């Protein structure tokens, strides 16, 4: 038993795991019969969705700026209070188009602690991502380190609002202005979140959302660029449609970034239930926090409750010097119990190809990123998860940490 562990009302029920041999990783029955996933899609009213699908079929208008896409864009603009929303087929293409429209080239500063799409969207256009370290308190790009990475080839900065917690927007805006750089935000995690009382989507030159199935609000696949800049918005609209300005008239280089009507139908249906989704996520977040409180070496990430937040990620930092278990061992234990916890952004973009080959020593400048990628894990949440399930997941974690040294030795023994 870990000496610092606090007595808790939710000490693991002896029926759940009477001793460590009954952990599923050692051959016991898993606590859950079916898998609990991170990224299980939230689905709003099935009735409304199917009605919209029927409307699409009746209209025989499936894509190319259809009525549902237009309605979806207006709803997002109203909700965020932004002038322009341009819906797209996914967040990655939206990033690529945003990068192109901002005329970024040469080098762009990005965090390595992000989904690979942020870096690839640059490299895809032969722009070099220059990886910047993060602030360990926020997990976001550290503005104090950004300026050191600027060279004569730098044209922009991409901040990522990781977990839906906005970057230090004010500092990044100052740095961008001072150095005449473009500022883009990858807001894939932060739809429905605010920064200093203003909705994310209003900052920098533009911001990009992802509405992928695994996001708390989804359009199957989908994304959007939002901006308050009229000129940029007009160009983005051309770019996502091959550069067509009316029939047979191409006036700009473009690609196919269009959102389909089925995606917009899903989006409109999801928007009707947005409050329900965030309320469920908030309830889960509070329950996880309550139940994980006091487990030594397990630190759940907190959200600023004075801001709007989607609470879509339940993130734990595992300090293995205290838990005796590594983050990866804890993930293994949870997986065996059918809790499909995920490592996040592991091993960091700088350790993935082609960046690993291009910058083999990038890690030397990214000490906080290197630490965090080994500590972070994400737990299931969303509308499909009940309090009982959260209780059991937390009991497994508590039990694993209580018996960390024993479990760890047994796992090591097994590997021999
Ligand atoms: N920037 C950032 C910061 C991002 O996080 C992302 C995307 C992007 C940019 C790019 O946006 P998009 O182009 O994707 O719109 C997911 C998603 O593919 C990706 O959208 C997301 N971030 C990234 C963090 O994760 P995986 O590899 O986790 O997906 P997968 O297939 O392993 O699914 C995860 C879990 O979700 C599964 O265990 C089961 C569950 N699931 C998944 C799907 C697709 C379902 O229950 N139903 C489903 O339909 O990539």
């Amino acid at each position: 038993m870990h000496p610092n562990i606090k007595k808790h009302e939710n000490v693991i029920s002896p029926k759940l795991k009477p001793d460590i041999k009954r952990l599923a990783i050692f051959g016991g029955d898993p606590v859950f019969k079916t898998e609990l996933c991170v990224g299980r899609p939230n689905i709003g009213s099935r009735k409304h969705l199917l009605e919209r699908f029927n409307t699409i079929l009746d209209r025989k208008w499936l894509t190319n700026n259809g009525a549902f896409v237009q309605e979806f864009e207006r709803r997002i603009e109203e909700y965020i209070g932004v002038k322009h929303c341009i819906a797209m087929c996914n967040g990655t293409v939206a990033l690529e188009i945003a990068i192109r429209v901002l005329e970024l080239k040469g080098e762009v500063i990005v965090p390595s602690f992000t989904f690979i799409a942020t870096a690839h969207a640059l490299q895809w256009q032969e722009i070099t991502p220059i990886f910047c370290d993060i602030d360990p308190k926020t997990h976001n790009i550290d503005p104090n380190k950004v300026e050191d990475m600027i060279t004569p080839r730098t044209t922009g900065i991409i901040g990522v609002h990781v977990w839906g917690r906005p970057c230090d927007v004010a500092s990044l805006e100052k740095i961008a202005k001072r150095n005449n750089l473009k500022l883009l935000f990858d807001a894939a995690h932060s739809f429905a979140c605010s920064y200093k009382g203003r909705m994310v989507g209003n900052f920098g030159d533009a911001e990009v959302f992802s509405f992928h199935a695994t996001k708390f609000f989804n359009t199957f696949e989908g994304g959007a660029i939002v901006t308050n800049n009229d000129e940029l918005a007009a160009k983005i609209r051309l770019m996502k449609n091959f550069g067509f300005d009316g029939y047979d008239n191409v006036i700009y280089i473009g690609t196919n970034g269009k959102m389909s009507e089925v995606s917009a139908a899903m989006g409109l249906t999801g928007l009707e239930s947005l409050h329900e989704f965030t309320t469920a996520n908030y309830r889960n977040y509070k329950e996880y926090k309550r139940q994980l409180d006091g487990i030594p070496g397990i630190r759940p990430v907190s959200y600023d409750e004075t801001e709007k937040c989607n609470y879509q990620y339940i993130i734990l930092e595992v300090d293995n010097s205290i838990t005796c278990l590594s983050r990866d061992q804890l993930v293994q234990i949870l997986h065996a119990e059918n809790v499909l916890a995920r490592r996040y952004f592991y091993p960091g973009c700088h350790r993935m190809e082609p960046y690993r080959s291009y910058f083999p020593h990038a890690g030397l400048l990214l000490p906080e990123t290197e630490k965090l990628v080994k500590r972070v894990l994400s737990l299931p949440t969303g509308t499909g998860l009940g309090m009982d399930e959260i209780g059991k997941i937390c009991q497994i974690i508590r039990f694993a940490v209580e018996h960390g040294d024993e479990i760890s030795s047994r796992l090591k023994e097994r590997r021999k």
Side-chain angles (χ1 to χ4, degrees), residues 136-182:
K137 290 195 287 300
T138 65
H139 302 180
N140 286 327
I141 192 165
D142 183 347
N144 294 318
K145 298 195 178 133
V146 168
E147 243 161 349
D148 294 342
M149 320 294 282
I150 298 174
T151 73
R153 278 167 51 75
T154 311
T155 56
I157 304 167
I158 303 182
V160 183
H161 307 303
V162 174
W163 320 134
R165 298 193 299 182
C167 294
D168 181 348
V169 171
S171 301
L172 292 173
E173 282 181 342
K174 272 190 212 132
I175 296 169
K177 201 164 173 210
R178 198 157 53 228
N179 295 280
N180 196 21
L181 300 174
K182 298 281 170 45

Side-chain angles (χ1 to χ4, degrees), residues 37-41 90-92 95 114-115 117-118 160 186 188-189 210 212-215 222 342 344:
C37 298
V38 172
R40 209 34 120 212
N90 61 54
T92 304
L95 275 172
T114 180
F115 187 56
T118 325
V160 183
D186 177 338
H189 290 191
S210 165
H212 183 260
T214 52
K215 300 287 184 278
R342 301 279 299 232
Y344 248 86

Side-chain angles (χ1 to χ4, degrees), residues 189-368:
H189 290 191
S190 47
F191 180 62
C193 299
S194 69
Y195 169 80
K196 296 194 176 166
R198 199 169 176 214
M199 295 305 279
V200 167
N202 283 287
F203 302 105
D205 293 291
E207 302 208 50
V208 170
F209 292 122
S210 165
F211 305 134
H212 183 260
T214 52
K215 300 287 184 278
F216 88 104
F217 166 76
N218 83 87
T219 60
F220 299 132
E221 287 274 1
I225 305 179
V226 284
T227 179
N228 284 309
N229 181 320
D230 300 341
E231 200 189 324
L232 276 189
K235 280 189 192 167
I236 294 165
R237 288 200 177 280
L238 291 170
M239 274 191 175
K240 68 134 196 207
N241 187 28
F242 314 100
F244 273 111
D245 183 24
Y247 207 59
D248 284 347
N249 187 27
V250 172
I251 60 162
Y252 216 79
I253 184 164
T255 183
N256 184 353
K258 290 167 288 164
M259 177 180 269
S260 74
E261 285 291 273
V262 280
S263 285
M266 182 67 166
L268 288 167
T269 308
L271 283 177
E272 292 165 358
S273 300
L274 204 63
H275 182 66
E276 183 201 320
F277 299 163
T278 49
T279 305
N281 287 345
Y282 178 66
R283 178 202 61 205
N284 294 350
Y285 161 73
K286 294 299 269 188
E287 185 62 10
Y288 269 119
K289 292 270 282 187
R290 191 179 75 79
Q291 300 237 15
L292 294 171
D293 176 43
I295 304 183
I298 300 288
R299 189 147 60 88
V301 153
S302 296
Y303 296 99
D304 177 354
E305 296 193 28
T306 64
E307 295 285 353
K308 283 213 163 82
C309 183
N310 58 42
Y311 299 97
Q312 71 174 310
Y313 293 101
I314 303 293
I315 302 295
L316 305 186
E317 272 190 63
V318 180
D319 180 346
N320 70 346
S321 66
I322 301 176
T323 54
C324 305
L325 282 176
S326 68
R327 183 274 314 270
D328 288 355
Q329 286 173 326
L330 190 54
V331 167
Q332 257 183 297
I333 292 164
L334 288 165
H335 275 218
E337 305 293 347
N338 273 332
V339 180
L340 302 193
R342 301 279 299 232
R343 303 190 292 197
Y344 248 86
F345 306 142
Y346 180 83
C349 294
H350 66 290
R351 286 185 179 272
M352 294 185 181
E353 292 296 354
Y355 316 108
R356 181 170 57 189
S357 299
Y358 291 167
F359 322 110
H361 306 298
L364 294 173
L365 291 174
L366 303 168
E368 298 301 342

